[in-house]
Amino acid sequence: MNKKILLLLLFLTTLACASKTEKLIPEKQLEGWAGNPDNPNEKPFDYFYMKSTGRASQKAIDKKSGKMIKATCIDSITYRSKVNLIRKMVVESTYGGTPSSGQLYTPFFLNDLLTLNYSRETRFYSQTKENFFNPLYLITVKEDVEIRLELIEEYQRVIQGVEVKDCQPLAIPDPEVPLSEWKECECLIYSHIPGGRGAIIARYRELDRE
């Protein structure tokens, strides 16, 4: 009798685990790949989200125009965040899941791609201290960087712009200036990427074979 009860409990536990739904994405923590802005938990996850900060124009601040302060702060995010979103999207989508050199792609280079502007002549420089004397390592990392940079450039041409939502003020308010807390602000920015992360990885692999 006890064996039957144990088997029944085991069956019910297995059934409960199998019927669990995927973990929902809290809207306040929305970053990375998710569904459409109206329902981020709805597949396909072909929207990429990230938080971005901005600052109001000095002209608006000097004029002490609250509406202008808020508008220019949000505008600064809208117009300047596209390249940062694309860099973050490409790097995070390909790092760690790439065919060969992904695991060698160090945090230094990841941060480099997200924050620096590159020219064709200065894209790569060897600051890999522990692997400095390994030519194969340096060649592999250089090729990996070049592939991601090419992907970033491709998506800069494809993506026309970013959308913003859930903007919040960050500055300490001035009691004499309405909306002065919007001198600095943060918004959630996003863009629709046909094919999502899978499309980026597929294109990475194409470039890696060339």
Side-chain angles (χ1 to χ4, degrees), residues 16-32:
C17 291
S19 63
K20 284 183 179 178
T21 57
E22 292 185 21
K23 188 176 179 180
L24 296 180
I25 303 169
E27 192 163 346
K28 290 184 179 179
Q29 299 176 16
L30 187 58
E31 284 194 85

Side-chain angles (χ1 to χ4, degrees), residues 109-148:
F109 288 104
L110 285 172
N111 185 61
D112 234 16
L113 278 179
L114 290 175
T115 59
L116 297 181
N117 291 320
Y118 281 78
S119 67
R120 289 285 180 185
E121 293 74 24
T122 62
R123 280 180 165 183
F124 176 78
Y125 45 93
S126 54
Q127 294 190 22
T128 52
K129 294 180 181 178
E130 71 278 11
N131 295 284
F132 186 79
F133 296 105
N134 185 340
L136 181 60
Y137 177 89
L138 295 177
I139 291 169
T140 304
V141 173
K142 180 176 180 180
E143 290 175 349
D144 206 41
V145 171
E146 290 290 342
I147 290 171
R148 284 176 170 83

Side-chain angles (χ1 to χ4, degrees), residues 62-87:
D62 292 341
K63 282 189 171 184
K64 298 184 178 181
S65 169
K67 290 182 179 179
M68 193 174 174
I69 288 172
K70 181 177 179 179
T72 56
C73 189
I74 295 173
D75 284 347
S76 72
I77 294 175
T78 304
Y79 295 121
R80 297 176 187 173
S81 297
K82 173 183 165 181
V83 66
N84 292 331
L85 180 137
I86 294 171
R87 285 175 178 170

Side-chain angles (χ1 to χ4, degrees), residues 167-196:
C167 296
Q168 302 291 334
L170 298 178
I172 298 172
D174 180 348
E176 296 181 3
V177 182
L179 302 177
S180 57
E181 64 271 25
W182 286 92
K183 288 179 183 177
E184 296 176 4
C185 59
E186 179 183 75
C187 295
L188 185 67
I189 64 170
Y190 63 93
S191 187
H192 179 239
I193 315 298

Side-chain angles (χ1 to χ4, degrees), residues 10-21:
L10 181 61
F11 172 76
L12 291 173
T13 302
T14 304
L15 186 64
C17 291
S19 63
K20 284 183 179 178
T21 57

